[in-house]
Amino acid sequence: RGDGTSEPLCYWQTDSTLVANLDYQTQLMPGSTVTLLSGVIHPARSVSPCPGPLCAQGSATIDIDFPCGGVACALPVAVVSGSQQISACPSEVLHLDASDSTGGGIKPLAYAWRVDPMRSDFANEINARLELLDGEDAFAIALGDLPLGDSQFVLLVRVTSFLGLASELAEFVVTRSGGAEPSL
């Protein structure tokens, strides 16, 4: 169970494969060692109580190169939503959300937001602000105080799983109208 707060949900997938679903707080990653509780786990079809000669006694190490059991782990997929246009008002805030991204597994994804410096206005200034947001809590961002005037921002987000697997960049284009702000 590691650092998890709940007991793992275990079941026999086949006569020789035991699956243990652990909660997100377990702190299990490639290179970790999983130890079976000695004298408790017995073969799927065994009716003999433990302890006994067929009961589990060992441990297994999660292969750092093949953490998904000898098959390639699925790459995360970054998905961005939000408004593609913001007004000329100085108080306008750009809200973007990548919480529909997938592929984190049992732990939250980490998010890294940037603007494309070749296709975005004020890229250095905005990237300096975005870099400070990187991490698991950056699934949704709000950027205020964006430079005024006609502007285009090509926002990019990459999500990374706890296994270190990273998505392709997801791109989201936002334009800011340089028209006069409304008056009453």
Side-chain angles (χ1 to χ4, degrees):
R1 158 168 114 181
D3 296 330
T5 56
S6 60
E7 291 293 324
L9 172 64
C10 300
Y11 64 92
W12 286 99
Q13 187 175 40
T14 68
D15 285 349
S16 61
T17 303
L18 177 66
V19 175
N21 290 321
L22 308 170
D23 76 17
Y24 72 96
Q25 296 173 328
T26 302
Q27 301 299 320
L28 194 62
M29 48 190 36
S32 294
T33 299
V34 177
T35 304
L36 301 174
L37 194 56
S38 182
V40 175
I41 299 173
H42 57 79
R45 299 192 188 278
S46 173
V47 291
S48 301
C50 286
L54 297 177
C55 295
Q57 304 294 327
S59 64
T61 300
I62 299 171
D63 189 328
I64 198 159
D65 295 319
F66 298 101
C68 295
V71 297
C73 297
L75 289 178
V77 176
V79 177
V80 185
S81 62
S83 177
Q84 292 183 306
Q85 198 160 33
I86 56 176
S87 75
C89 296
S91 61
E92 183 77 11
V93 176
L94 172 62
H95 295 273
L96 295 175
D97 189 328
S99 62
D100 287 336
S101 300
T102 60
I106 196 166
K107 297 189 179 197
L109 290 164
Y111 299 80
W113 295 87
R114 300 294 183 273
V115 293
D116 184 332
M118 301 302 289
R119 300 182 293 154
S120 301
D121 299 313
F122 312 102
N124 290 339
E125 174 188 329
I126 296 170
N127 277 334
R129 291 171 57 195
L130 288 171
E131 201 170 316
L132 299 173
L133 302 175
D134 287 356
E136 293 176 1
D137 295 331
F139 57 87
I141 61 169
L143 288 175
D145 298 323
L146 291 170
L148 299 175
D150 286 329
S151 304
Q152 175 174 290
F153 310 104
V154 180
L155 284 113
L156 308 168
V157 65
R158 173 172 279 137
V159 295
T160 305
S161 73
F162 76 100
L163 296 173
L165 299 171
S167 70
E168 296 290 325
L169 286 171
E171 181 177 296
F172 195 83
V173 179
V174 177
T175 56
R176 178 172 214 156
S177 169
E181 72 180 87
S183 62
L184 296 176

